[in-house]
């Protein structure tokens, strides 16, 4: 075992570790353990050899490329639609885009280049609340709560006028909305909550700012303009001409929480702006803030604010405009100096702040991309400056003929659109050429003491992965080097964080019978100051040297046994397609991949434990048995399902996971099978010519698009991307998983185990949540994890009218029966009015009453007081449902309501049309929401 002290095991995200915990522990104990004394002799922080360093630059791009506006995302032609003010991606892994219409509509679309108007879903329509009478007024900004995936909260910024405004004739509002839990493409209008109202004094209708974004500190930042009254910008007691910073998780309506370190005791964070229309945070690059402030006389400016800068900074307006003095003596040196500026009349009309690019185009990686309303798009490498002025030197990329804003999708790709017809597009790159001072040959990199023998330089650490990426049959050798004695920030479940200067090396060669292996390439992943880049060194035919590539190269490799094989050498941009931000950049070096054996100095050891003992981590890991691990396709100790899922995770999930790709399929291993959007789902793109295809059809791999893609040699359809040859062993594994594991051939039925807990759905007490023990403490035929209260189930039977009138009093009575085998204590009964038979967060609570303790098979009655139908109900007249729920007093509204609620249809007619003599009826017991929701906590709070 490891000589390092052990620590308690961490919480592992994947439930499959719990299912296989015994197996993993046994394997770790038998396979990976080494005698402590022997391990200590070869593994301790003192034996770590510091890496002397490589010759790669830590700043600057490797290539430059011809860049054009692709226009490859033609949403609509502008006819009959609103112009767009903003586009953003909800951070929930759904790979959608939200489009902000200037006049008050928020839409949702799939993030796919071929979407059309028919793919639009209206999320929110608030035109009646918005003042959009001027080109600079309207629905201006959108931001998603950092916990949007869990709480569905988002924020909009719009201009309004009386009577919408609360305390002023004209205002801007920051309003919070919540997504409908039952429909991710619809917001709940009634969830509107005014976080902040910003008065707009005077009559000018311009300079409103409008941007919203959450910073790395979790606070919401809001930009406001000077509304044409420049003297307001320097006054810290008013909110105009400022960058505001608020805590949206505290405070009250119209009065947000004020962070304790806000400098003026109010929402104001920075002062001295004219019209900061767009700003952004470079979250991947450390959190720097970039602000584009529209000029008033002749200068446009962009300001970079380093992460951690305290509040109170003055950006100069109206005394300074960029570096230009507006008021004599006004630029006294205390104002923030811009990083970029240009003279308006020489370049365009108004600056449009952008983003630090984090997408797949290698030449743009880490550059600040911004634009001008004239349509010009620029980029600055954030390094090159004019030696005379100190201002950044930028270049023009292309002209889109009018641009109003930039946006990002979940993968970091930039989106921008033509202001006049709203054609959304991205940048496309071609013809890369070498720039920068990068070593041209592998021998110049400092990575190898001897390139001919592939002898690594001292300090490079060889490693293996449990589940290798398929690389067309090539054998691979892998090394990693940290700069000096720096360490890795360890995470048991997520990608690790590596210090600047870290380098990963992966060498590829084809083994050939009867001769030496053919060296193909050596790939590099480098952690620069600004992020990660990847590139390739291609070996010559004699295997004596490798040269740096700047573009993709295809090479026909002659094989010793006859024939040939095509090999694809990737370009720097190709590298970033898989090593993306959502995928974590570094793919193979993480806990589940390195938790396996590899000899260290001739001694068998576990790699995690060895790296831990060498002092490579910022924390003590303890024993490797505490952590999850991937299973290779030939690992007989793991099930077929586990091996298949792990193979898909490594080889396919880099493109098929939240924020990446053009489908909703999610192939990560930490998901339940039911959440992968895979089983019995029809493909939304290429159906491969099948008459009725599925992504995976249990029992029929020949009608399963996933299997056919993995087994295909057609480059246009095969998975994984960048490969040309079929992995026969993996193909056979997936066929077995689909045909034999997911299907019962003897019974002719699907053998699904959606939660992968070892209990098939057909007999699982709770098929959507792992419960291998099938615990059922209260005897209600539900697994305890699906029945969070684990208490007797109280089934109400409602007596209520079949028709009700708006605003009318209600006569409601319910009989509560104990359907469990245990006695129930005092309980609460709630009555709701719902548009359907499923209890949702927006449903109206009508009344409540209480029942005393009820023994097994007993019952009790309860009648609420002062129950009434609301005077206004959305959708009335029409058919609705009374929903009645019973809960033990200390567990009101637990995670799953489906086993203790009943529903009954009720009609709400036109006012005054209530049928005479409508009689009370006793409902039949209809269980609400027969499907198991699977949440651990309900969004329906008290």
């Amino acid at each position: 075992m490891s000589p390092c002290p052990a620590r308690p095991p961490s919480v592992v995200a994947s439930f499959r570790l719990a299912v296989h915990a015994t197996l993993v522990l046994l394997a770790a104990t038998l396979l990976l353990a080494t005698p402590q004394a022997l391990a200590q002799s070869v593994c301790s922080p003192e034996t770590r050899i510091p890496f002397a360093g490589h010759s790669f630059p830590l700043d600057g791009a490797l290539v430059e490329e011809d860049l054009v506006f692709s226009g490859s995302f033609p949403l609509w032609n502008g006819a009959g639609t609103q112009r767009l003010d903003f586009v953003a991606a909800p951070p929930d892994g759904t790979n959608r885009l939200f489009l902000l219409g200037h006049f008050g509509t928020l839409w949702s679309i799939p993030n796919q280049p071929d979407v059309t108007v028919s793919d639009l879903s209206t999320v929110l329509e608030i035109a009646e609340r918005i003042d959009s009478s001027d080109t600079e007024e309207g629905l201006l900004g959108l931001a998603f709560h950092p916990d949007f995936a869990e709480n569905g909260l988002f924020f909009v910024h719009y201009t309004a006028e009386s009577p919408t405004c609360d305390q002023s004739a004209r205002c801007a509002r920051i309003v919070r909305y919540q997504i409908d839990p039952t429909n991710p493409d619809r917001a709940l209008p009634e969830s509107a909550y005014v976080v902040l109202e910003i008065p707009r004094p005077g009559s000018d209708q311009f300079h409103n700012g409008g941007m919203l974004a959450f910073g790395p500190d979790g606070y919401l930042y809001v930009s406001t303009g000077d509304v044409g009254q420049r003297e307001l910008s320097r006054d810290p007691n008013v909110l105009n001409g400022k960058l505001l910073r608020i805590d949206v998780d505290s405070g009250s309506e119209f009065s947000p929480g004020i962070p304790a370190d806000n400098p003026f005791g109010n929402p104001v964070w920075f002062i001295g702006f004219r019209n900061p229309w767009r700003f952004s945070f470079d979250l991947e690059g450390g959190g720097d803030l970039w602000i584009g402030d529209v000029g008033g006389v002749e200068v446009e400016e962009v300001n970079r604010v380093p992460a951690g800068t305290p509040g109170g900074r003055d950006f100069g307006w109206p005394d300074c405009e960029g570096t230009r003095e507006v008021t004599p003596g006004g630029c006294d040196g205390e104002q923030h100096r811009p990083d970029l500026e240009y003279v308006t009349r020489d370049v365009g009309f108004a600056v449009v702040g952008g983003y630090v690019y984090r997408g797949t185009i290698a030449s743009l990686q880490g550059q600040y991309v911004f634009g001008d309303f004239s349509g010009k798009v620029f980029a600055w490498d954030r390094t090159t400056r004019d030696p005379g002025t100190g201002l950044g030197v930028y270049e023009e990329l292309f002209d889109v003929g009018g641009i109003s804003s930039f946006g990002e999708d979940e993968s970091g790709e930039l989106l921008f659109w033509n202001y006049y017809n709203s054609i959304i597009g991205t940048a496309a790159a071609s013809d890369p050429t070498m720039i920068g001072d990068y070593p041209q040959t592998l021998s110049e990199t400092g990575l190898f003491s001897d390139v001919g023998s592939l002898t690594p330089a001292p300090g490079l650490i060889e490693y293996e992965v449990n589940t290798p990426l398929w690389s067309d049959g090539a054998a691979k050798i892998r090394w990693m080097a940290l700069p000096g004695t720096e360490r890795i920030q360890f995470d048991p479940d997520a990608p690790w964080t590596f210090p600047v200067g870290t380098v990963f090396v992966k060498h590829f060669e084809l083994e050939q019978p009867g001769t030496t292996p053919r060296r193909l390439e050596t790939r590099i992943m480098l952690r620069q100051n600004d992020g990660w880049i990847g590139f390739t060194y291609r070996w010559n035919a004699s295997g004596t040297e490798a040269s740096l590539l700047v573009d993709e190269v295809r090479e026909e490799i002659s094989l010793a046994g006859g024939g040939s094989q095509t090999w694809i050498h990737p370009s720097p941009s190709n590298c970033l397609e898989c090593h993306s931000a959502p995928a974590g950049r570094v793919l193979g070096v993480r806990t589940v991949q390195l938790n396996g054996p590899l000899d260290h100095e001739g001694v068998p050891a576990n790699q995690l434990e060895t790296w831990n003992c060498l002092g490579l981590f910022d924390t003590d890991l303890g024993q490797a048995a505490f952590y999850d691990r991937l299973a290779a396709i030939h690992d007989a100790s793991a099930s077929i399902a586990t091996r298949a899922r792990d193979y898909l995770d490594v080889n396919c999930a880099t493109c098929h996971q939240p924020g990446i790709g053009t489908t909703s399929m999610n192939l990560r291993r930490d998901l339940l099978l039911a959440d992968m959007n895979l089983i019995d789902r029809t493909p939304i793109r290429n159906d491969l010519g099948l008459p009725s295809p599925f992504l995976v059809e249990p029992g029929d791999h020949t009608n399963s698009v996933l299997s056919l893609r993995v087994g295909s040699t057609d480059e246009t359809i095969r998975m994984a991307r960048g490969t040309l040859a079929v992995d026969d062993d993996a193909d056979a594994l997936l066929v077995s998983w689909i045909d034999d594991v997911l299907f019962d051939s003897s019974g002719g039925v699907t053998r699904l185990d959606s939660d992968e807990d070892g209990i098939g759905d057909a007999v699982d007490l709770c098929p959507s949540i792992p419960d291998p023990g099938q615990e059922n403490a209260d005897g209600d035929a539900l697994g305890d994890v699906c029945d969070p209260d684990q208490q007797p189930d109280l089934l109400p039977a409602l007596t209520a009218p079949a028709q009700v009138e708006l605003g009318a009093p209600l006569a409601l009575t319910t009989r509560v029966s104990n359907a469990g085998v245990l006695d129930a204590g005092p309980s609460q009964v709630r009555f709701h009015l719902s548009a359907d038979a499923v209890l949702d967060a927006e449903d109206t609570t009508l009344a409540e009453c209480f029942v005393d303790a009820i023994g097994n098979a007993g019952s009790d009655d309860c009648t609420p007081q002062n129950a009434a139908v609301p005077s206004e109900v959305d959708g009335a007249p029409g058919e609705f449902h009374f929903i009645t729920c019973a809960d033990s007093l200390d567990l009101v509204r637990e995670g799953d309501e489906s086993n203790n609620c009943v529903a009954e249809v009720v009609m709400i007619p036109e006012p005054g049309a209530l049928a005479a003599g409508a009689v009370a009826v006793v409902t039949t017991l209809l269980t609400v929401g027969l499907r198991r929701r699977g949440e651990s906590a309900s969004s329906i709070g008290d």
Side-chain angles (χ1 to χ4, degrees):
M1 299 300 290
S2 166
C4 303
R7 66 165 191 168
S10 65
V11 176
V12 178
S14 172
F15 172 77
R16 297 195 305 153
L17 176 62
V19 176
H20 301 292
T22 303
L23 181 62
V24 171
L25 182 60
L26 179 62
T29 302
L30 297 179
L31 178 63
L32 309 178
T34 60
Q36 186 173 17
L38 181 59
Q40 282 180 321
S41 68
V42 296
C43 176
S44 69
E46 291 73 25
T47 63
R48 175 182 174 181
I49 302 174
F51 176 50
H54 49 68
S55 57
F56 300 118
L58 297 182
D59 291 292
L62 169 65
V63 296
E64 64 179 7
E65 300 167 274
D66 293 336
L67 298 171
V68 297
F69 174 67
S70 69
S72 60
F73 210 112
L75 177 62
W76 60 67
N77 62 10
T81 58
Q82 301 175 40
R83 78 169 194 248
L84 297 181
D85 273 347
F86 197 58
V87 175
D92 59 356
T94 56
N95 203 21
R96 296 175 294 161
L97 297 174
F98 276 26
L99 314 177
L100 201 66
H102 179 80
F103 298 106
T105 306
L106 178 63
W107 295 284
S108 170
I109 59 168
N111 184 17
Q112 299 163 10
D114 55 355
V115 295
T116 65
V117 177
S118 62
D119 297 305
L120 287 170
S121 297
T122 299
V123 178
L124 185 67
E125 177 59 69
I126 53 174
E128 74 283 355
R129 303 185 183 186
I130 291 177
D131 176 13
S132 56
S133 57
D134 184 81
T135 57
E136 293 190 28
E137 295 178 307
L139 184 54
L140 305 177
L142 167 71
F144 299 96
H145 193 283
D147 298 325
F148 175 83
E150 289 75 39
N151 62 29
L153 298 178
F154 66 92
F155 302 79
V156 294
H157 187 170
Y158 64 79
T159 55
E161 61 183 356
S162 182
T164 303
C165 296
D166 183 49
Q167 296 180 352
S168 60
R170 300 169 62 251
C171 66
R173 277 186 161 183
I174 311 303
V175 182
R176 185 191 73 197
Y177 286 92
Q178 184 177 36
I179 290 293
D180 185 340
T182 67
N183 182 358
D185 292 321
R186 174 183 177 268
L188 302 172
E190 63 271 22
S191 68
Y193 176 94
V194 181
V195 176
L196 178 66
E197 190 168 277
I198 305 162
R200 295 191 296 149
S203 59
D204 291 329
Q205 297 177 327
F206 44 81
H207 305 175
N208 296 295
M211 185 66 183
L212 296 176
F214 280 90
D217 53 11
Y219 295 130
L220 180 64
Y221 290 73
V222 181
S223 68
T224 66
D226 67 5
V227 293
Q229 300 186 57
R230 57 178 61 192
E231 69 278 2
L232 300 178
S233 294
R234 303 288 286 280
D235 184 347
N237 297 310
V238 300
L239 303 184
N240 309 100
K242 307 297 190 301
L243 187 72
L244 312 179
R245 177 178 182 254
I246 57 178
D247 180 0
V248 298
D249 296 320
S250 65
S252 59
E253 192 167 23
F254 290 96
S255 180
I258 308 301
D261 57 344
N262 273 22
F264 308 109
N266 60 18
V268 174
W269 184 243
F270 294 147
I271 67 173
F273 293 102
R274 180 178 181 271
N275 190 17
W277 166 236
R278 291 294 180 240
F279 65 84
S280 65
F281 290 96
D282 178 19
L283 297 180
E284 186 178 346
D288 289 354
L289 170 63
W290 294 81
I291 309 169
D293 193 14
V294 179
V297 181
E298 59 180 53
V299 176
E300 307 293 323
E301 67 177 278
V302 173
N303 298 276
R304 169 185 172 267
V305 185
T309 299
R313 180 160 294 195
D314 180 2
F315 286 76
W317 180 258
D319 298 321
C320 295
E321 185 180 56
T323 59
R324 175 184 173 275
E325 191 174 77
V326 178
T327 302
C331 294
D332 56 12
E334 295 183 3
Q335 292 83 4
H336 181 90
R337 181 180 173 83
D339 290 84
L340 297 168
E341 71 175 25
Y342 59 87
V343 177
T344 306
R345 63 176 178 268
D346 293 343
V347 177
F349 309 139
V351 69
V352 180
Y355 293 83
V356 176
Y357 179 78
R358 298 297 179 185
T360 61
I361 299 175
S363 60
L364 272 185
Q365 187 66 211
Q367 296 205 46
Y368 178 67
V369 180
F370 66 106
D372 185 273
F373 184 73
S374 64
K376 296 176 181 178
V377 177
F378 311 102
W380 179 43
D381 63 9
R382 300 187 294 149
T383 302
T384 305
R385 293 182 181 268
D386 184 299
T389 66
L391 293 169
V393 178
Y394 59 90
E395 62 174 334
E396 181 177 336
L397 300 180
F398 41 76
D399 192 327
V400 302
I403 187 171
S404 59
S405 190
F406 294 85
E408 279 186 312
D409 69 10
E410 283 194 271
S411 66
E413 287 298 339
L414 274 188
L415 300 166
F416 31 93
W417 48 96
N418 183 289
Y419 172 83
Y420 302 101
N421 57 19
S422 298
I423 300 299
I424 301 177
T426 60
S430 62
D431 301 324
T433 57
M434 183 89 64
I435 61 173
D437 188 19
Y438 285 79
Q440 299 299 298
T441 62
L442 191 60
S443 59
E444 296 172 352
T445 63
L447 297 173
F448 295 94
S449 301
D450 187 301
V451 168
S453 62
L454 279 183
T455 303
L460 259 72
I461 300 172
E462 186 175 352
Y463 68 92
E464 287 286 356
V465 295
N466 289 327
T467 303
L469 184 75
W470 170 249
S471 300
D472 285 351
K476 286 169 278 191
I477 311 173
R478 306 168 183 85
W479 297 272
M480 184 275 297
L482 299 175
T485 58
E486 294 198 47
R487 298 185 176 189
I488 302 165
Q489 293 181 31
F490 175 80
D491 191 296
D493 309 311
W496 300 345
T497 301
F498 299 91
V500 171
T502 299
V503 63
F504 293 95
V505 184
K506 184 157 62 172
H507 175 75
F508 297 76
E509 53 189 39
L510 282 174
E511 296 183 352
Q512 302 187 71
T515 185
T516 57
R518 169 64 189 274
R519 291 178 176 177
L520 301 172
E521 64 183 42
T522 302
R523 297 180 190 172
I524 307 296
M525 280 295 294
L526 173 66
R527 176 66 167 94
Q528 294 185 303
N529 287 314
D530 192 49
W532 290 93
I533 63 170
F535 44 93
T536 301
Y537 287 88
R538 176 189 178 190
W539 285 86
N540 58 26
S542 61
T544 57
E545 183 62 276
S547 300
L548 182 61
L549 293 178
V550 297
D551 203 356
E552 178 184 299
V553 173
R554 293 180 179 235
E555 181 179 10
E556 202 68 18
I557 306 295
S558 297
L559 302 177
S564 63
Q565 176 176 335
T566 302
W567 182 264
I568 303 175
H569 301 278
S571 70
S573 291
N574 293 151
C575 294
L576 294 177
E577 290 175 1
C578 291
H579 292 270
S580 65
R585 297 297 186 192
V586 177
L587 305 179
V589 183
R590 54 186 65 186
T591 305
V592 292
Q593 282 281 38
L594 265 67
N595 189 8
L598 183 69
D599 289 1
H600 177 68
E601 297 185 12
V603 178
N606 177 279
Q607 291 182 103
L608 283 183
E609 294 181 355
T610 298
W611 285 28
N612 188 40
C613 289
L614 290 174
L616 301 189
F617 298 118
D618 64 343
T619 186
D620 176 41
L621 273 60
Q623 299 179 18
F626 292 152
Y627 304 100
D628 197 6
R629 64 191 299 265
L630 289 173
I633 59 175
H634 299 296
D635 184 353
S637 67
S639 68
I640 291 175
T642 296
R643 285 180 277 159
R645 288 290 306 276
D646 288 356
Y647 180 87
L648 293 174
D649 181 271
V650 170
N651 287 271
C652 306
T654 52
C655 294
H656 294 285
Q657 64 171 279
I660 311 177
T662 57
T663 74
S664 61
M665 183 168 57
N666 188 343
L667 300 182
R668 295 182 309 175
R669 69 187 295 268
D670 58 352
L671 289 179
L672 297 176
L673 187 64
D675 297 329
M676 295 175 67
N677 299 320
L678 183 66
I679 306 298
D680 291 334
R681 296 292 187 98
T682 56
I684 63 174
R685 309 204 75 76
N686 194 337
D687 60 10
L688 306 187
L690 299 172
S692 301
F694 292 99
L695 294 175
V696 167
E697 180 179 358
D700 189 359
H701 76 277
T702 64
N703 197 48
S704 299
V705 169
L706 180 140
S707 178
L708 296 178
R709 286 183 180 273
V710 171
S712 175
T713 57
D714 183 345
E715 185 181 358
T716 63
I717 66 172
R718 76 164 270 100
M719 294 197 323
R721 184 165 55 181
T723 64
L724 301 175
V726 175
D727 183 347
D728 292 327
D729 292 339
D731 183 35
L733 174 68
L734 293 175
V735 168
S736 179
W737 178 55
I738 292 170
D739 289 352
D740 302 326
V741 175
L742 298 180
F743 190 76
D744 182 356
S745 57
S746 62
V749 296
T750 299
R751 187 195 290 139
L752 282 182
D753 179 12
S754 298
D755 55 13
E756 296 182 290
D757 61 357
I759 310 296
D761 290 358
V763 295
D764 198 333
L765 295 179
C766 184
S768 66
I769 305 178
D771 56 339
Q774 296 288 278
E775 291 86 357
N776 177 25
D778 60 0
D780 64 355
L782 292 175
D784 289 346
V785 290
C786 270
D787 184 17
D789 58 7
Q790 298 181 26
Q791 296 293 323
D793 293 305
L794 304 167
L795 296 179
L798 177 66
T799 301
Q803 294 188 69
V804 296
E805 202 165 44
L806 292 174
L810 277 175
L812 301 173
T813 298
T814 189
R815 169 159 292 182
V816 180
S817 302
N818 181 358
V821 297
L822 304 176
D823 293 341
S827 302
Q828 180 184 35
V829 181
R830 288 158 294 116
F831 301 84
H832 309 275
L833 183 65
S834 175
D836 54 27
V838 177
L839 183 60
D840 299 312
E842 70 273 20
D843 290 339
T844 302
T845 300
L846 301 173
E848 64 182 16
C849 58
F850 299 87
V851 295
D852 293 328
I854 305 174
N856 169 243
S859 62
D860 192 13
D861 292 338
C862 140
T863 300
Q865 302 297 315
N866 303 318
V869 179
S871 57
E872 293 184 9
V873 176
D874 287 344
E879 180 180 286
F880 289 83
H881 290 78
F882 284 131
I883 298 179
T884 309
C885 300
D887 294 276
S888 55
L889 288 181
D890 57 340
L891 287 160
V892 174
R893 296 182 180 180
E894 73 272 19
D896 193 308
E897 299 286 355
S898 57
N899 63 312
N900 58 346
C901 298
V902 294
E904 175 64 19
V905 174
V906 60
M907 296 298 301
I908 300 180
E910 293 282 357
L914 188 64
V919 296
V921 296
V922 178
T923 66
T924 55
L925 292 181
L926 170 65
T927 301
V928 176
L930 293 179
R931 67 183 185 279
R932 290 280 159 249
R933 282 192 174 90
E935 291 98 341
S936 61
S938 176
S939 61
I940 307 172
D942 287 324

